[in-house]
Amino acid sequence: MIALKEILLQATREHWSTGHFNASESDHMRAIVEAAKEVGAPAIIGTSEGEAKHLGYLEAVALRDAFRAELGIPVFLNSDHHKSVEAAKIAIDAGYDSIHIDLSAQSFDENVRGTRDVVEYAKINHRYVANQHSNILQNVGMLSVEGELGYLRGDSKIQKEKIEIKPEDYTDPDQAADFVAKTGINRLAIAVGNIHGISLDEPNLDIDRIKKIREAIPENVALVLHAGSGIPDDQIKAAIAAGIANIHINTDIRVAYTEALRKELSKKPDETTPYRFDAAARDTLKNLIVEKLRLFGSGG
Ligand code: G3H
Ligand code: ZN
């Protein structure tokens, strides 16, 4: 199977972006992989620590394998925003093929140390994990690790209050180059005016800063834009043109799924068979993901 690293390098060179979508139920995972299959894109499924605990790390890995076998497309599972080295190690040991270690709330030195520890652990331990899951990955070089630099505010919900971004929150291009060199990561998540969740005000991405960070780091390290919900399409396209190769979306799909589920439940108040009322929500989720993947230029 093609490695995520190769896909991201191709996306960076050709100026399109992969999409990363969060899941906490097998139904969400199915919506993501079916959307990816429909447009001809790789599927990247993320589970935050909370989502992974709800779904189960081993269960997420088993479902990932089942969807790969069923649909015959590249499906990657990422440990989204894992905020400690220990949590990231759990995901590596479980068989995740992509790790996001997010120590951005810590000092630069602590962030470097912890992120590098995860990169090293992934190199040493992934051979063992790959052997356990022989159909997952062919060699240790396939695992992709993402670090985060800069401070991303908000969380994945509709924000009721205005969130102010401070100048020191933004990722500095020179520090980004230093961080990449010291940690050995494959992907870098950056703060460039993005805020987790759907914010009250329209976000204003610093496109010039994305370009500068892109120029400051090696081509084979992909740039990741988190907090993709609520960002206008023209800004998404400009961010991709400036070098973003992976965009995270959670709130948009959470809201669409939940609203569709509420609507269906109120239409069918006496229905007690779950698959008769949750299939519509899954279809809504899939259709929105198809739209996002097309916006990112990921189709085909
Ligand atoms: O890691 C997850 C994403 O950054 C989600 O952000 O909820 O604003 O789409 P979002
Ligand atoms: Zn995020």
Side-chain angles (χ1 to χ4, degrees):
M1 195 184 78
I2 187 165
L4 182 56
K5 291 174 194 174
E6 288 170 38
I7 292 173
L8 292 171
L9 182 58
Q10 194 186 340
T12 300
R13 285 182 175 159
E14 297 172 358
H15 297 288
W16 53 275
S17 178
T18 55
H20 170 291
F21 303 94
N22 289 70
S24 55
E25 306 281 353
S26 65
D27 242 17
H28 309 159
M29 290 180 73
R30 179 170 285 284
I32 298 165
V33 296
E34 285 188 351
K37 172 93 178 176
E38 187 171 315
V39 305
I44 307 176
I45 301 165
T47 62
S48 64
E49 290 187 42
E51 287 160 344
K53 277 178 196 143
H54 182 77
L55 183 57
Y57 283 90
L58 292 173
E59 288 76 1
V61 167
L63 282 163
R64 186 263 330 261
D65 291 349
F67 286 125
R68 272 184 190 161
E70 184 185 327
L71 298 181
I73 59 166
V75 182
F76 303 101
L77 190 57
N78 178 47
S79 69
D80 191 32
H81 290 289
H82 275 46
K83 299 213 170 173
S84 68
V85 172
E86 293 66 37
K89 285 179 179 176
I90 291 171
I92 295 169
D93 292 347
Y96 276 51
D97 32 29
S98 168
I99 302 298
H100 173 204
I101 173 73
D102 175 7
L103 304 178
S104 57
Q106 301 185 19
S107 71
F108 180 78
D109 288 346
E110 285 166 338
N111 190 354
V112 166
R113 209 172 308 124
T115 304
R116 198 180 45 215
D117 282 356
V118 171
V119 169
E120 288 307 314
Y121 186 86
K123 276 187 203 153
I124 296 162
N125 289 273
H126 202 57
R127 185 184 300 279
Y128 168 76
V129 174
N131 286 340
Q132 299 302 299
H133 304 265
S134 54
N135 60 338
I136 298 177
L137 295 168
Q138 305 311 314
N139 62 60
V140 287
M142 303 268 296
L143 195 132
S144 171
V145 179
E146 172 181 342
E148 181 158 333
L149 188 67
Y151 190 60
L152 276 182
R153 293 179 186 272
D155 47 14
S156 288
K157 61 180 191 187
I158 297 173
Q159 304 295 344
K160 299 238 165 22
E161 279 158 29
K162 193 170 150 53
I163 296 175
E164 295 287 351
I165 302 177
K166 299 193 173 150
E168 61 269 28
D169 293 345
Y170 287 81
T171 309
D172 174 76
D174 292 335
Q175 207 180 36
D178 194 24
F179 184 73
V180 166
K182 285 180 169 150
T183 56
I185 51 169
N186 310 106
R187 317 192 303 274
L188 177 67
I190 52 175
V192 288
N194 38 339
I195 297 173
H196 277 127
I198 298 176
S199 37
L200 274 184
D201 294 340
E202 194 171 277
N204 185 17
L205 297 185
D206 185 342
I207 301 297
D208 198 46
R209 186 178 293 264
I210 299 175
K211 281 187 199 145
K212 289 196 175 113
I213 299 169
R214 185 59 277 165
E215 281 161 14
I217 64 173
E219 188 191 37
N220 64 354
V221 177
L223 275 188
V224 183
L225 182 74
H226 280 252
S229 297
I231 298 178
D233 291 0
D234 59 333
Q235 289 195 44
I236 290 282
K237 285 185 182 160
I240 295 170
I244 292 292
N246 181 230
I247 301 178
H248 283 227
I249 304 278
N250 197 357
T251 312
D252 278 345
I253 59 173
R254 280 183 172 178
V255 170
Y257 181 86
T258 309
E259 280 176 357
L261 194 56
R262 284 204 180 103
K263 201 165 142 199
E264 203 64 9
L265 281 167
S266 66
K267 267 201 301 194
K268 300 174 178 170
D270 297 325
E271 184 59 73
T272 53
T273 304
Y275 63 76
R276 295 207 175 105
F277 59 74
D278 63 11
R282 188 176 72 196
D283 289 347
T284 302
L285 192 54
K286 178 187 159 186
N287 293 337
L288 180 57
I289 294 168
V290 164
E291 262 177 49
K292 297 283 184 192
L293 288 171
R294 292 207 167 115
L295 171 69
F296 302 163
S298 200

